[in-house]
Amino acid sequence: MFRFKIQLSDVSRNAYETLELRVAMHPSESVPYLLTRVIAYCLNTQRGLELTDGISAPDLPALWVKDLTGLLEMWIDIGNPSAKRLHKAAKAAKKVRVYTYRDFAILQKEVEGQNVHQVGAIEVFALQPKFLDRLGATLERDNAWEFLHDAGELSVGTKKGTITGELVAHHF
């Protein structure tokens, strides 16, 4: 179990708040996957956003946003989901986002020629592996972050220093 106290400044969305998260890490989950889940949470903070059971529940997205009636507004996946999974997500939710720390070309090739519902509306954001490696080196059971996002630039202040990286948007 990892705890995060995050001072969020998302200039791009005009979102400024303090987040407190407790995030369980599944034994088969990698550190980049865990960090990408936390970063995706920061970048999508809004009413109804929840971390799901993640890898432990393979039929669910890593995060989702439900409205007050329980309808699925947004499906947020991590990594390189299959074309079949993206098709399911696009049919189930109004909006689909993928946060990947792998090469986007692999995901693009997976989707190429496949029947994926509203594939052009799926948003994909890539994080640099080096950024996640450096951030992973600062990971502790209790983490205090100062998280800044501005126009695709990320900066995470930790007890061990500030890590900067880029968030690159892709479309199919």
Side-chain angles (χ1 to χ4, degrees):
M1 183 67 66
F2 292 91
R3 288 182 209 84
F4 295 86
K5 185 170 185 176
I6 302 168
Q7 294 297 323
L8 173 69
S9 298
D10 191 338
V11 178
S12 299
R13 294 188 314 127
N14 198 27
Y16 305 91
E17 60 187 284
T18 300
L19 305 172
E20 293 197 27
L21 302 174
R22 290 178 46 159
V23 184
M25 184 175 182
H26 190 274
S28 66
E29 186 173 353
S30 68
V31 170
Y33 187 96
L34 172 84
L35 292 172
T36 303
R37 281 198 301 144
V38 173
I39 291 168
Y41 190 96
C42 292
L43 294 171
N44 291 281
T45 297
Q46 61 187 283
R47 176 182 291 190
L49 177 66
E50 295 178 33
L51 290 161
T52 67
D53 290 335
I55 288 177
S56 301
D59 292 337
L60 299 179
L63 301 98
W64 61 23
V65 176
K66 289 187 175 183
D67 69 13
L68 295 174
T69 67
L71 290 176
L72 189 56
E73 292 284 325
M74 189 179 335
W75 176 298
I76 302 170
D77 239 329
I78 306 298
N80 281 5
S82 68
K84 183 178 177 180
R85 184 171 174 88
L86 290 173
H87 178 73
K88 175 185 173 179
K91 292 197 69 97
K94 293 180 184 177
K95 184 179 261 187
V96 177
R97 287 189 175 155
V98 176
Y99 290 85
T100 188
Y101 49 91
R102 297 186 175 133
D103 186 358
F104 173 70
I106 296 168
L107 183 58
Q108 192 170 29
K109 187 173 181 164
E110 165 68 27
V111 170
E112 222 170 73
Q114 299 295 315
N115 181 26
V116 177
H117 184 71
Q118 296 184 338
V119 70
I122 297 172
E123 297 173 290
V124 180
F125 300 95
L127 294 164
Q128 302 157 319
K130 285 183 192 178
F131 168 72
L132 293 171
D133 289 344
R134 290 192 312 266
L135 190 56
T138 72
L139 190 62
E140 298 176 352
R141 292 292 173 193
D142 288 304
N143 300 276
W145 285 5
E146 291 181 10
F147 186 93
L148 173 65
H149 173 236
D150 188 11
E153 296 295 321
L154 298 175
S155 175
V156 181
T158 72
K159 293 180 214 172
K160 297 178 181 177
T162 300
I163 313 298
T164 60
E166 190 176 8
L167 181 70
V168 179
H170 296 280
H171 291 282
F172 294 108

